[in-house]
């Protein structure tokens, strides 16, 4: 069993690296010479009002504040995230352990790492990261989310040490905060200016630190599954949770991160199996995908 697991892990890692190299290496090279390549990224519209020192949209804040009480209801509007969370965590754990040379099989493989969970919501990622030994800071611009996160984390002595703050990545940058690893999962599709948001994430990351972003691809398949099916047919999410035009393609995300000083080194897709009701890592990045990058040593 151990040999089979190692073979599967190694083959998956190899295939993901192959996809990253074949699909994105030309883009990464081009980004070094054509720094304006991402100028066509979605930009804030004139009628959108964002809070000071924040790339978030007002209506996005209101949307998530309305369902904040449901963060820890595994059958509620955040059910897809609860189902996806173990798979997201497996990718993060593996990538961080490789990069920081940690033992992935130890009880607390992330011990000693300072991690910030940007857009932490109710803390459903912050808590398992803390249980893996990380020193976690969870930030969210919705005050109700932070209150829910604090209450839930306080129920367990292991997670009660998490620092939850109602603030934004931009404010943390102004405060001069730095972290070994920066997480922004299912967040970038809700911000007004992805490029500026990624600059903030990079500014929070120490040189040679890690940045992890997960989001939804702007593909027709994603429109059919993440919006039509998830919001209107299966009703896993409240209608209007996502705007297809706000999604980024993997190529766009790679270019944006490159401009911010983050080099994407690994990428994987998330695929849902309706029979088992579980998510798994895949080479298929046509809908949900996650990217792991590292900050250049000469970038500040």
């Amino acid at each position: 069993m151990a040999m089979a697991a190692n073979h599967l892990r190694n083959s998956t890692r190899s295939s993901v690296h192959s996809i990253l190299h074949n699909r994105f290496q030309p883009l990464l090279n081009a980004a070094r010479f054509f720094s304006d390549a991402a100028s066509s990224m979605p930009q804030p519209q004139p009628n959108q009002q964002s809070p000071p020192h924040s790339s978030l949209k007002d209506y996005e804040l209101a949307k998530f504040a309305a369902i904040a009480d449901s963060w820890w209801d595994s059958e509620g509007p955040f059910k897809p995230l609860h189902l996806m969370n173990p798979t997201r965590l497996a990718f993060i754990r593996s990538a961080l352990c490789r990069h920081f040379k940690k033992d992935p099989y130890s009880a607390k493989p992330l011990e000693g790492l300072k991690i910030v969970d940007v857009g932490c919501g109710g803390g459903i990622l912050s808590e398992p990261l803390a249980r893996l030994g990380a020193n976690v800071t969870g930030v969210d611009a919705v005050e109700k989310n932070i209150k829910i996160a604090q209450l839930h984390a306080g129920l367990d002595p292991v997670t009660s040490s998490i620092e939850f703050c109602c603030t934004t990545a931009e404010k943390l940058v102004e405060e001069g905060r730095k972290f070994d690893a920066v997480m922004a999962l299912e967040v970038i599709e809700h911000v007004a200016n992805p490029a500026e948001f990624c600059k903030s994430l990079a500014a929070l990351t120490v040189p040679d630190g890690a940045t992890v972003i997960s989001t939804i691809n702007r593909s027709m398949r994603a429109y059919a599954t993440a919006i039509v099916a998830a919001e209107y047919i299966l009703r896993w999410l409240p209608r209007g949770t996502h705007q297809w035009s706000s999604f980024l393609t993997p190529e766009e995300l790679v270019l944006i991160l490159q401009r911010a000083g983050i080099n994407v080194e690994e990428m994987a897709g998330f695929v849902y199996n309706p029979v088992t009701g579980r998510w798994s890592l895949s080479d298929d990045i046509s809908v949900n995908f996650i990217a792991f990058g590292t900050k250049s040593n000469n970038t500040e």
Side-chain angles (χ1 to χ4, degrees):
M1 284 294 291
M3 291 180 63
N6 287 333
H7 175 74
L8 178 60
R9 180 166 53 252
N10 291 333
S11 62
T12 300
R13 183 188 309 166
S14 176
S15 58
V16 169
H17 276 294
S18 177
I19 280 183
L20 183 62
H21 178 80
N22 293 336
R23 292 194 59 184
F24 302 116
Q25 193 58 46
L27 290 171
L28 290 172
N29 292 336
R32 296 187 180 98
F33 300 99
F34 301 101
S35 61
D36 61 343
S39 61
S40 59
M41 298 300 99
Q43 299 294 320
Q45 300 302 312
N47 61 343
Q48 292 172 348
Q49 298 294 322
S50 299
H53 310 293
S54 173
S55 60
L56 295 166
K57 306 171 186 175
D58 281 346
Y59 68 84
E60 293 284 0
L61 296 176
K63 184 166 58 181
F64 285 99
I67 54 176
D69 293 339
S70 304
W71 266 108
W72 288 96
D73 179 2
S74 60
E75 295 298 321
F78 296 106
K79 178 178 179 177
L81 291 185
H82 282 276
L83 292 174
M84 189 186 290
N85 215 37
T87 308
R88 301 192 305 179
L89 192 66
F91 176 91
I92 293 168
R93 175 177 179 158
S94 177
L96 293 184
C97 284
R98 281 198 303 275
H99 181 68
F100 291 105
K101 296 178 174 55
K102 300 281 189 177
D103 180 5
Y105 302 105
S106 68
K108 294 187 176 182
L110 304 185
E111 192 166 19
L113 294 182
K114 290 178 59 178
I115 299 179
V116 62
D117 182 10
V118 177
C120 65
I124 65 173
L125 176 69
S126 297
E127 289 196 14
L129 288 175
R131 292 191 179 96
L132 291 176
N135 180 355
V136 180
T137 298
V139 301
D140 200 286
V142 178
E143 187 175 3
K144 286 182 67 176
N145 286 347
I146 291 299
K147 288 182 178 179
I148 293 294
Q150 289 172 331
L151 286 172
H152 194 274
L155 299 175
D156 185 338
V158 177
T159 57
S160 61
S161 62
I162 299 174
E163 177 191 3
F164 284 112
C165 308
C166 182
T167 187
T168 64
E170 293 78 12
K171 288 292 290 182
L172 291 181
V173 172
E174 290 180 4
E175 295 168 8
R177 300 287 296 271
K178 295 284 185 180
F179 301 88
D180 299 307
V182 176
M183 308 286 119
L185 307 192
E186 306 358 293
V187 176
I188 196 169
E189 64 268 27
H190 301 290
V191 306
N193 192 321
E196 291 302 313
F197 179 68
C198 286
K199 288 180 182 178
S200 295
L201 299 184
L204 292 174
T205 310
V206 300
D208 199 38
T211 304
V212 179
I213 296 179
S214 65
T215 187
I216 303 174
N217 193 347
R218 194 177 68 253
S219 65
M220 290 309 299
R221 185 176 174 192
Y223 181 83
T225 58
I227 295 180
V228 176
E231 296 183 17
Y232 290 86
I233 299 176
L234 300 175
R235 298 190 177 182
W236 283 350
L237 300 167
R239 293 184 180 183
T241 297
H242 293 115
Q243 300 294 322
W244 185 78
S245 61
S246 296
F247 295 161
L248 296 173
T249 66
E251 292 88 347
E252 289 170 342
L253 181 60
V254 168
L255 285 170
I256 288 176
L257 288 171
Q258 178 72 36
R259 292 187 68 191
I262 302 295
N263 300 310
V264 175
E265 298 182 358
E266 188 172 352
M267 187 174 287
F270 296 129
V271 175
Y272 180 72
N273 186 329
V275 177
T276 63
R278 295 181 179 179
W279 292 82
S280 60
L281 289 174
S282 168
D283 293 344
D284 183 358
I285 56 175
S286 63
V287 183
N288 297 85
F289 67 97
I290 188 167
F292 168 82
T294 58
K295 183 175 178 178
S296 304
N297 278 309
N298 60 351
T299 302
E300 278 299 333

